[in-house]
Amino acid sequence: MERGMKSVAVVLSGCGVFDGSEIHESVLTMLSLDRLGVKTSFLAPDEPQLHVINHISGEEIGEKRNVLQESARISRGKIKPLSQANADEFDALIIPGGFGVAKNLCDFAVKEVDCEINKDLLSLVRTMHKQHKPMGFMCIAPVMLPKLLNKPVKLTIGHEPNTVAQIEKMGGIHVACKVDEIVVDLENKIVTTPAYMLAESISQAEEGIDKLVKKVLEMTE
């Protein structure tokens, strides 16, 4: 790594909004990081994904796919298993949304408030938090924060009532937020944005995501 170059871990959860990472959010995150001259490392669980969804019909299909292999489609093959992550190598961490977050990084889609977090993700995030490193979560990803940090944390998923209620039951402090804005928890160095929880176009999603990336990088100083 070049001297002075920041290093950011991007955690993916598959490939495709309904059963993996939201592709637009992932690519916009990559683009913002690249424009800022950041070294980006991709991580994903080397595990079977919950299920596979036909993205045309929205119906489940009888296939089995691996989260790491699917995520590699977005990262152009450059990706490591989440179990091999070393928090010391990163200045910050960002997690794009997509239902894969709630299906493959945790089981919020099935258990809601009783959800459990992937143990490797839990370990990485808690270690980075102890190191006072900033982290960004977009779209549905912020639902994991109360359990990831095991403490009240200020966050947003926009303003979807049922999801907000679940977050608050887990101890999160939800803040309503416009699609192009971010919510910053300075004490915990957490930045969140609604992205496609509210966005009606890729350009709308881009505004909040770019602000999130820039704020996360600013907080590494």
Side-chain angles (χ1 to χ4, degrees):
M1 195 190 320
E2 295 175 21
R3 179 179 288 181
M5 178 182 283
K6 298 294 183 182
S7 176
V8 175
V10 174
V11 179
L12 300 177
S13 59
C15 183
V17 58
F18 299 126
D19 56 16
S21 287
E22 212 297 320
I23 296 172
H24 294 182
E25 292 177 4
S26 301
V27 174
L28 289 169
T29 299
M30 294 158 63
L31 179 60
S32 290
L33 288 167
D34 186 63
R35 283 175 169 163
L36 292 168
V38 173
K39 179 183 185 295
T40 306
S41 298
F42 298 97
L43 302 163
D46 187 6
E47 299 174 359
Q49 61 186 55
L50 176 66
H51 57 205
V52 180
I53 300 294
N54 179 325
H55 277 57
I56 298 174
S57 67
E59 297 176 355
E60 185 176 343
I61 54 180
E63 292 183 17
K64 293 183 178 180
R65 298 189 186 183
N66 177 278
V67 181
L68 182 66
Q69 292 174 10
E70 290 298 295
S71 299
R73 294 174 179 270
I74 296 175
S75 65
R76 296 173 63 88
K78 295 181 179 180
I79 194 166
K80 289 183 178 180
L82 194 53
S83 59
Q84 295 179 15
N86 180 356
D88 295 338
E89 296 178 356
F90 309 119
D91 297 298
L93 175 145
I94 295 176
I95 304 184
F99 283 112
V101 170
K103 294 176 178 180
N104 304 324
L105 296 185
C106 70
D107 53 10
F108 180 83
V110 178
K111 295 183 179 178
E112 294 188 325
V113 296
D114 297 317
C115 67
E116 296 180 8
I117 309 292
N118 174 282
K119 60 180 175 51
D120 295 316
L121 179 63
L122 190 66
S123 176
L124 177 62
V125 167
R126 288 189 175 176
T127 301
M128 293 187 71
H129 184 61
K130 286 178 183 177
Q131 294 173 344
H132 305 290
K133 293 175 178 176
M135 291 178 274
F137 296 74
M138 59 192 69
C139 192
I140 193 65
V143 300
M144 299 188 293
L145 280 165
K147 295 202 172 185
L148 279 170
L149 300 190
N150 196 30
K151 63 193 293 192
V153 55
K154 189 166 69 172
L155 60 92
T156 192
I157 50 88
H159 46 64
E160 200 282 311
N162 181 61
T163 308
V164 169
Q166 300 300 321
I167 287 168
E168 291 178 341
K169 285 180 185 176
M170 290 188 285
I173 303 165
H174 187 267
V175 180
C177 179
K178 295 180 180 178
V179 65
D180 59 347
E181 295 296 335
I182 58 175
V183 167
V184 181
D185 184 321
L186 283 173
E187 180 183 349
N188 291 303
K189 289 195 171 184
I190 296 293
V191 187
T192 54
T193 192
Y196 273 107
M197 290 295 286
L198 292 179
E200 296 179 354
S201 67
I202 191 170
S203 58
Q204 277 192 352
E206 189 272 341
E207 290 186 68
I209 290 170
D210 191 54
K211 287 179 182 177
L212 178 146
V213 171
K214 287 175 177 174
K215 188 63 178 179
V216 167
L217 266 293
E218 176 188 312
M219 293 171 82
T220 64
E221 301 299 333

